[in-house]
Amino acid sequence: MVRTRFAPSPTGYMHIGNLRTALYEYFIAKHNGGKFILRIEDTDQERYVDGAVDIIYKTLEMAGIKHDEGPDVGGDYGPYIQSERKNDYMKYALELVEKGEAYYCFCTKERLESLRAEGETGVKYDRHCLSLSKEEIEENLKNNVPFVIRQKIREGVTSFHDEVYGDVTVNNEDMEDQILIKSDGLPTYNFANVIDDHLMNITHVIRGNEYLSSTPKYNLLYEAFGWEIPTYIHVAPVMKDQHTKLSKRNGDASFQDLVAKGYLPKAIVNYITLLGWAPSENREIFTIDELIEAFDVKGISKSPAIFDPEKLKWMNGEYIKAMDFEEFYKMAEPVLKEAVKTEGIDLKMVGEMVKSRISTIYDIPSLIDFIDGLPEYDKSLYTHKKMKTNEENSIGFLKLIIPILENTEKWDNDSLYALMVSTAKENGLKNGQILWPIRTALSGKPTTPCGATELCVLLGKNESLKRLNEGLRLLEG
């Protein structure tokens, strides 16, 4: 059975690249009828952020990702919180020491810093403690001298296959004897990953391509234990631009930030899945279930993907257009109530007007700011080449229609539209020559979320006539 895992560190909000990795892991598992595992990797206690675990749970829930095993589900090896499994890691590290695949290192921080300062070994540890005798090691342990346990890198080369990058070969001499167990007794990220992935029967490891260089170290550990090596799928980063990675450390938007800005979780998931993965069919809008069905590792690109806010806006707008109106209105109502203070305005009518014209619900206020009060505007707005209107002839058009509107009793959209169209026809005018001046006078804006007759209904007869007369005065002044 295919088993994948998402193993975030609880160090703050989940950035876009992390969530994309979780999605790929989820889709690969579910596409193959497998299991998706959640593991909290909290061994770096210095970077631990209170509340971050809850953020991870909430983010996955909002994104529509449900893990099969993990801290709040359990399973054969749960709960999966690394800091609670300290003894397990030490046991396996000591097994490597016994096999000669790892060793105790008692070097002080000062010695290591002096080596780096002197540049004697570059960035690699000089294996000073590898030559310690059994008696020296036992004496140090007896005297509680602080230590770490390091992996002993073998001579030769290490090769592995990655599903995205193909065959990779690394000279072992380029690798350092990495630390497996830190001086506080907790495992390093690299060591804990190998142990946990084995114990949890992880078959496919999906992660960022920054770990390509670490993979040979992992494989040497698997070989030292005699364990099966998982399938590797490394993915290119999500970039802010051609040169800069998206990163929460750089203050780039997290999933929570995007939701707070009015983006729908489903749209975010859809968009970031396509950052670095191409479906076999030529389409862009997918539900979660459709992504599970369509996801193929062969579609993952080696090239970095650039996060395009404008493309996300477009996609979010498409999701809003496709929403059931009642669902949309429930989401938009608080924004509408905040944006419109005028009593008697039909907010549902406003919602219907703006639904197909926005990218996020926070686009609404700027579209309807004319409702509470007519903004100051230049009379040049009355000029529209296609409608064949200008400042001069709009005076006559408004003078023609205002008395007719004053005397009409039917103030609904169909009746008003029929009235305006018949007025235009009777006077040898184009419909736009009546409708455009009305729309401009009622809104004071170059674009509106609806047409002239809908604006009349929305604002009501008294307010509409008031604004039409104000428009006429502006033009005549």
Side-chain angles (χ1 to χ4, degrees), residues 445-476:
K445 295 171 73 73
T447 59
T448 58
C450 59
T453 54
E454 291 94 343
L455 288 176
C456 287
V457 175
L458 178 68
L459 295 171
K461 184 173 183 178
N462 291 338
E463 181 65 19
S464 295
L465 290 170
K466 175 186 171 184
R467 293 188 183 196
L468 290 171
N469 281 297
E470 286 177 5
L472 185 57
R473 286 193 290 272
L474 175 66
L475 287 167
E476 291 180 325

mmCIF file of all heavy atoms in Angstrom, residues 445-476:
data_model
loop_
_atom_site.group_PDB
_atom_site.id
_atom_site.type_symbol
_atom_site.label_atom_id
_atom_site.label_comp_id
_atom_site.label_asym_id
_atom_site.label_seq_id
_atom_site.Cartn_x
_atom_site.Cartn_y
_atom_site.Cartn_z
ATOM 1 N N LYS A 445 -19.468 57.064 -11.453
ATOM 2 C CA LYS A 445 -18.327 56.174 -11.664
ATOM 3 C C LYS A 445 -18.255 55.734 -13.123
ATOM 4 O O LYS A 445 -19.296 55.621 -13.791
ATOM 5 C CB LYS A 445 -18.433 54.942 -10.763
ATOM 6 C CG LYS A 445 -18.336 55.265 -9.273
ATOM 7 C CD LYS A 445 -18.671 54.057 -8.411
ATOM 8 C CE LYS A 445 -17.563 53.017 -8.428
ATOM 9 N NZ LYS A 445 -16.379 53.453 -7.641
ATOM 10 N N PRO A 446 -17.050 55.470 -13.620
ATOM 11 C CA PRO A 446 -16.917 55.026 -15.017
ATOM 12 C C PRO A 446 -17.412 53.604 -15.245
ATOM 13 O O PRO A 446 -17.772 53.241 -16.353
ATOM 14 C CB PRO A 446 -15.406 55.127 -15.277
ATOM 15 C CG PRO A 446 -14.775 55.034 -13.925
ATOM 16 C CD PRO A 446 -15.732 55.673 -12.981
ATOM 17 N N THR A 447 -17.407 52.797 -14.186
ATOM 18 C CA THR A 447 -17.933 51.427 -14.291
ATOM 19 C C THR A 447 -18.815 51.152 -13.087
ATOM 20 O O THR A 447 -18.576 51.663 -11.992
ATOM 21 C CB THR A 447 -16.801 50.383 -14.332
ATOM 22 O OG1 THR A 447 -16.009 50.490 -13.135
ATOM 23 C CG2 THR A 447 -15.917 50.575 -15.555
ATOM 24 N N THR A 448 -19.838 50.344 -13.299
ATOM 25 C CA THR A 448 -20.760 50.000 -12.216
ATOM 26 C C THR A 448 -21.047 48.505 -12.257
ATOM 27 O O THR A 448 -20.879 47.865 -13.301
ATOM 28 C CB THR A 448 -22.088 50.768 -12.366
ATOM 29 O OG1 THR A 448 -22.660 50.466 -13.646
ATOM 30 C CG2 THR A 448 -21.884 52.267 -12.242
ATOM 31 N N PRO A 449 -21.489 47.933 -11.141
ATOM 32 C CA PRO A 449 -21.770 46.496 -11.110
ATOM 33 C C PRO A 449 -23.058 46.098 -11.805
ATOM 34 O O PRO A 449 -23.395 44.916 -11.847
ATOM 35 C CB PRO A 449 -21.841 46.199 -9.607
ATOM 36 C CG PRO A 449 -22.289 47.480 -8.997
ATOM 37 C CD PRO A 449 -21.643 48.554 -9.819
ATOM 38 N N CYS A 450 -23.784 47.081 -12.331
ATOM 39 C CA CYS A 450 -25.041 46.762 -13.022
ATOM 40 C C CYS A 450 -25.401 47.918 -13.942
ATOM 41 O O CYS A 450 -24.725 48.951 -13.983
ATOM 42 C CB CYS A 450 -26.164 46.519 -12.004
ATOM 43 S SG CYS A 450 -26.465 47.939 -10.933
ATOM 44 N N GLY A 451 -26.491 47.751 -14.673
ATOM 45 C CA GLY A 451 -26.916 48.760 -15.623
ATOM 46 C C GLY A 451 -27.765 49.857 -15.001
ATOM 47 O O GLY A 451 -28.043 49.869 -13.796
ATOM 48 N N ALA A 452 -28.209 50.775 -15.849
ATOM 49 C CA ALA A 452 -28.929 51.966 -15.397
ATOM 50 C C ALA A 452 -30.235 51.630 -14.688
ATOM 51 O O ALA A 452 -30.544 52.193 -13.626
ATOM 52 C CB ALA A 452 -29.206 52.883 -16.598
ATOM 53 N N THR A 453 -31.008 50.711 -15.260
ATOM 54 C CA THR A 453 -32.311 50.431 -14.652
ATOM 55 C C THR A 453 -32.155 49.714 -13.311
ATOM 56 O O THR A 453 -32.915 49.957 -12.374
ATOM 57 C CB THR A 453 -33.167 49.585 -15.602
ATOM 58 O OG1 THR A 453 -32.460 48.402 -15.984
ATOM 59 C CG2 THR A 453 -33.523 50.375 -16.853
ATOM 60 N N GLU A 454 -31.139 48.819 -13.200
ATOM 61 C CA GLU A 454 -30.899 48.145 -11.915
ATOM 62 C C GLU A 454 -30.482 49.162 -10.855
ATOM 63 O O GLU A 454 -30.880 49.062 -9.692
ATOM 64 C CB GLU A 454 -29.805 47.076 -12.050
ATOM 65 C CG GLU A 454 -30.207 45.869 -12.875
ATOM 66 C CD GLU A 454 -29.812 45.989 -14.321
ATOM 67 O OE1 GLU A 454 -29.516 47.125 -14.778
ATOM 68 O OE2 GLU A 454 -29.803 44.957 -15.013
ATOM 69 N N LEU A 455 -29.705 50.170 -11.265
ATOM 70 C CA LEU A 455 -29.306 51.215 -10.316
ATOM 71 C C LEU A 455 -30.521 52.000 -9.840
ATOM 72 O O LEU A 455 -30.623 52.354 -8.653
ATOM 73 C CB LEU A 455 -28.303 52.161 -10.976
ATOM 74 C CG LEU A 455 -26.889 51.609 -11.216
ATOM 75 C CD1 LEU A 455 -26.044 52.634 -11.962
ATOM 76 C CD2 LEU A 455 -26.219 51.238 -9.906
ATOM 77 N N CYS A 456 -31.430 52.264 -10.757
ATOM 78 C CA CYS A 456 -32.652 52.981 -10.370
ATOM 79 C C CYS A 456 -33.424 52.208 -9.308
ATOM 80 O O CYS A 456 -33.875 52.781 -8.303
ATOM 81 C CB CYS A 456 -33.548 53.202 -11.594
ATOM 82 S SG CYS A 456 -32.965 54.460 -12.745
ATOM 83 N N VAL A 457 -33.580 50.925 -9.526
ATOM 84 C CA VAL A 457 -34.323 50.080 -8.575
ATOM 85 C C VAL A 457 -33.583 50.019 -7.250
ATOM 86 O O VAL A 457 -34.191 50.124 -6.173
ATOM 87 C CB VAL A 457 -34.527 48.671 -9.144
ATOM 88 C CG1 VAL A 457 -35.182 47.760 -8.107
ATOM 89 C CG2 VAL A 457 -35.371 48.724 -10.414
ATOM 90 N N LEU A 458 -32.281 49.857 -7.301
ATOM 91 C CA LEU A 458 -31.479 49.735 -6.078
ATOM 92 C C LEU A 458 -31.579 50.993 -5.221
ATOM 93 O O LEU A 458 -31.806 50.911 -4.002
ATOM 94 C CB LEU A 458 -30.007 49.476 -6.451
ATOM 95 C CG LEU A 458 -29.016 49.376 -5.287
ATOM 96 C CD1 LEU A 458 -29.293 48.124 -4.463
ATOM 97 C CD2 LEU A 458 -27.578 49.365 -5.813
ATOM 98 N N LEU A 459 -31.443 52.156 -5.845
ATOM 99 C CA LEU A 459 -31.432 53.411 -5.093
ATOM 100 C C LEU A 459 -32.830 53.911 -4.742
ATOM 101 O O LEU A 459 -32.993 54.693 -3.800
ATOM 102 C CB LEU A 459 -30.691 54.489 -5.907
ATOM 103 C CG LEU A 459 -29.189 54.221 -6.143
ATOM 104 C CD1 LEU A 459 -28.631 55.226 -7.142
ATOM 105 C CD2 LEU A 459 -28.411 54.286 -4.836
ATOM 106 N N GLY A 460 -33.824 53.447 -5.480
ATOM 107 C CA GLY A 460 -35.183 53.921 -5.237
ATOM 108 C C GLY A 460 -35.502 55.164 -6.050
ATOM 109 O O GLY A 460 -34.605 55.868 -6.529
ATOM 110 N N LYS A 461 -36.784 55.460 -6.195
ATOM 111 C CA LYS A 461 -37.212 56.545 -7.083
ATOM 112 C C LYS A 461 -36.736 57.916 -6.604
ATOM 113 O O LYS A 461 -36.162 58.692 -7.381
ATOM 114 C CB LYS A 461 -38.734 56.537 -7.211
ATOM 115 C CG LYS A 461 -39.269 57.582 -8.199
ATOM 116 C CD LYS A 461 -40.768 57.418 -8.417
ATOM 117 C CE LYS A 461 -41.271 58.423 -9.451
ATOM 118 N NZ LYS A 461 -42.713 58.260 -9.730
ATOM 119 N N ASN A 462 -36.907 58.219 -5.328
ATOM 120 C CA ASN A 462 -36.556 59.560 -4.839
ATOM 121 C C ASN A 462 -35.060 59.839 -4.979
ATOM 122 O O ASN A 462 -34.654 60.897 -5.464
ATOM 123 C CB ASN A 462 -36.976 59.724 -3.384
ATOM 124 C CG ASN A 462 -38.480 59.775 -3.234
ATOM 125 O OD1 ASN A 462 -39.202 60.086 -4.190
ATOM 126 N ND2 ASN A 462 -38.975 59.472 -2.039
ATOM 127 N N GLU A 463 -34.234 58.889 -4.537
ATOM 128 C CA GLU A 463 -32.791 59.082 -4.608
ATOM 129 C C GLU A 463 -32.321 59.129 -6.058
ATOM 130 O O GLU A 463 -31.428 59.916 -6.411
ATOM 131 C CB GLU A 463 -32.056 57.965 -3.848
ATOM 132 C CG GLU A 463 -30.544 58.069 -3.839
ATOM 133 C CD GLU A 463 -30.013 59.286 -3.103
ATOM 134 O OE1 GLU A 463 -30.757 59.870 -2.285
ATOM 135 O OE2 GLU A 463 -28.846 59.658 -3.343
ATOM 136 N N SER A 464 -32.936 58.309 -6.910
ATOM 137 C CA SER A 464 -32.541 58.300 -8.318
ATOM 138 C C SER A 464 -32.826 59.640 -8.973
ATOM 139 O O SER A 464 -31.967 60.201 -9.674
ATOM 140 C CB SER A 464 -33.283 57.178 -9.065
ATOM 141 O OG SER A 464 -32.903 55.908 -8.580
ATOM 142 N N LEU A 465 -34.027 60.164 -8.767
ATOM 143 C CA LEU A 465 -34.378 61.453 -9.364
ATOM 144 C C LEU A 465 -33.514 62.576 -8.812
ATOM 145 O O LEU A 465 -33.110 63.493 -9.555
ATOM 146 C CB LEU A 465 -35.854 61.754 -9.120
ATOM 147 C CG LEU A 465 -36.826 60.860 -9.912
ATOM 148 C CD1 LEU A 465 -38.253 61.059 -9.436
ATOM 149 C CD2 LEU A 465 -36.709 61.148 -11.420
ATOM 150 N N LYS A 466 -33.189 62.502 -7.543
ATOM 151 C CA LYS A 466 -32.312 63.501 -6.932
ATOM 152 C C LYS A 466 -30.951 63.506 -7.631
ATOM 153 O O LYS A 466 -30.419 64.565 -7.981
ATOM 154 C CB LYS A 466 -32.148 63.192 -5.452
ATOM 155 C CG LYS A 466 -31.157 64.088 -4.722
ATOM 156 C CD LYS A 466 -30.952 63.608 -3.294
ATOM 157 C CE LYS A 466 -29.807 64.375 -2.633
ATOM 158 N NZ LYS A 466 -29.515 63.876 -1.261
ATOM 159 N N ARG A 467 -30.394 62.327 -7.858
ATOM 160 C CA ARG A 467 -29.069 62.233 -8.481
ATOM 161 C C ARG A 467 -29.115 62.611 -9.957
ATOM 162 O O ARG A 467 -28.159 63.197 -10.487
ATOM 163 C CB ARG A 467 -28.507 60.824 -8.312
ATOM 164 C CG ARG A 467 -28.198 60.469 -6.856
ATOM 165 C CD ARG A 467 -27.461 59.153 -6.730
ATOM 166 N NE ARG A 467 -27.241 58.805 -5.323
ATOM 167 C CZ ARG A 467 -26.377 57.884 -4.904
ATOM 168 N NH1 ARG A 467 -25.663 57.199 -5.797
ATOM 169 N NH2 ARG A 467 -26.226 57.634 -3.622
ATOM 170 N N LEU A 468 -30.209 62.282 -10.637
ATOM 171 C CA LEU A 468 -30.331 62.664 -12.046
ATOM 172 C C LEU A 468 -30.358 64.180 -12.194
ATOM 173 O O LEU A 468 -29.729 64.736 -13.099
ATOM 174 C CB LEU A 468 -31.590 62.043 -12.644
ATOM 175 C CG LEU A 468 -31.554 60.521 -12.836
ATOM 176 C CD1 LEU A 468 -32.935 60.002 -13.226
ATOM 177 C CD2 LEU A 468 -30.520 60.133 -13.901
ATOM 178 N N ASN A 469 -31.048 64.834 -11.292
ATOM 179 C CA ASN A 469 -31.099 66.310 -11.348
ATOM 180 C C ASN A 469 -29.755 66.926 -10.974
ATOM 181 O O ASN A 469 -29.360 67.964 -11.535
ATOM 182 C CB ASN A 469 -32.201 66.832 -10.424
ATOM 183 C CG ASN A 469 -33.584 66.691 -11.060
ATOM 184 O OD1 ASN A 469 -33.863 67.297 -12.095
ATOM 185 N ND2 ASN A 469 -34.446 65.887 -10.454
ATOM 186 N N GLU A 470 -29.040 66.310 -10.057
ATOM 187 C CA GLU A 470 -27.703 66.790 -9.708
ATOM 188 C C GLU A 470 -26.768 66.653 -10.912
ATOM 189 O O GLU A 470 -25.941 67.528 -11.178
ATOM 190 C CB GLU A 470 -27.133 65.993 -8.525
ATOM 191 C CG GLU A 470 -27.774 66.350 -7.193
ATOM 192 C CD GLU A 470 -27.235 65.495 -6.054
ATOM 193 O OE1 GLU A 470 -26.293 64.691 -6.275
ATOM 194 O OE2 GLU A 470 -27.747 65.622 -4.936
ATOM 195 N N GLY A 471 -26.917 65.544 -11.639
ATOM 196 C CA GLY A 471 -26.117 65.350 -12.849
ATOM 197 C C GLY A 471 -26.406 66.401 -13.893
ATOM 198 O O GLY A 471 -25.493 66.903 -14.565
ATOM 199 N N LEU A 472 -27.676 66.711 -14.044
ATOM 200 C CA LEU A 472 -28.075 67.749 -15.009
ATOM 201 C C LEU A 472 -27.477 69.097 -14.636
ATOM 202 O O LEU A 472 -26.969 69.820 -15.495
ATOM 203 C CB LEU A 472 -29.604 67.819 -15.066
ATOM 204 C CG LEU A 472 -30.208 68.775 -16.104
ATOM 205 C CD1 LEU A 472 -29.723 68.437 -17.519
ATOM 206 C CD2 LEU A 472 -31.733 68.724 -16.032
ATOM 207 N N ARG A 473 -27.507 69.427 -13.357
ATOM 208 C CA ARG A 473 -26.934 70.710 -12.901
ATOM 209 C C ARG A 473 -25.423 70.751 -13.161
ATOM 210 O O ARG A 473 -24.870 71.787 -13.536
ATOM 211 C CB ARG A 473 -27.228 70.937 -11.429
ATOM 212 C CG ARG A 473 -28.688 71.330 -11.138
ATOM 213 C CD ARG A 473 -28.872 71.840 -9.742
ATOM 214 N NE ARG A 473 -28.727 70.767 -8.746
ATOM 215 C CZ ARG A 473 -29.712 70.000 -8.336
ATOM 216 N NH1 ARG A 473 -30.924 70.157 -8.836
ATOM 217 N NH2 ARG A 473 -29.496 69.053 -7.434
ATOM 218 N N LEU A 474 -24.758 69.590 -12.928
ATOM 219 C CA LEU A 474 -23.314 69.532 -13.176
ATOM 220 C C LEU A 474 -23.008 69.811 -14.642
ATOM 221 O O LEU A 474 -22.092 70.583 -14.978
ATOM 222 C CB LEU A 474 -22.778 68.155 -12.782
ATOM 223 C CG LEU A 474 -21.285 67.885 -13.092
ATOM 224 C CD1 LEU A 474 -20.387 68.787 -12.256
ATOM 225 C CD2 LEU A 474 -20.944 66.420 -12.849
ATOM 226 N N LEU A 475 -23.793 69.203 -15.521
ATOM 227 C CA LEU A 475 -23.562 69.367 -16.958
ATOM 228 C C LEU A 475 -23.874 70.804 -17.404
ATOM 229 O O LEU A 475 -23.164 71.365 -18.260
ATOM 230 C CB LEU A 475 -24.429 68.397 -17.751
ATOM 231 C CG LEU A 475 -23.987 66.926 -17.698
ATOM 232 C CD1 LEU A 475 -25.095 66.019 -18.245
ATOM 233 C CD2 LEU A 475 -22.707 66.726 -18.510
ATOM 234 N N GLU A 476 -24.894 71.385 -16.849
ATOM 235 C CA GLU A 476 -25.295 72.731 -17.261
ATOM 236 C C GLU A 476 -24.381 73.808 -16.652
ATOM 237 O O GLU A 476 -24.300 74.926 -17.176
ATOM 238 C CB GLU A 476 -26.737 73.008 -16.860
ATOM 239 C CG GLU A 476 -27.732 72.182 -17.661
ATOM 240 C CD GLU A 476 -29.159 72.454 -17.251
ATOM 241 O OE1 GLU A 476 -29.401 72.704 -16.032
ATOM 242 O OE2 GLU A 476 -30.036 72.403 -18.138
#
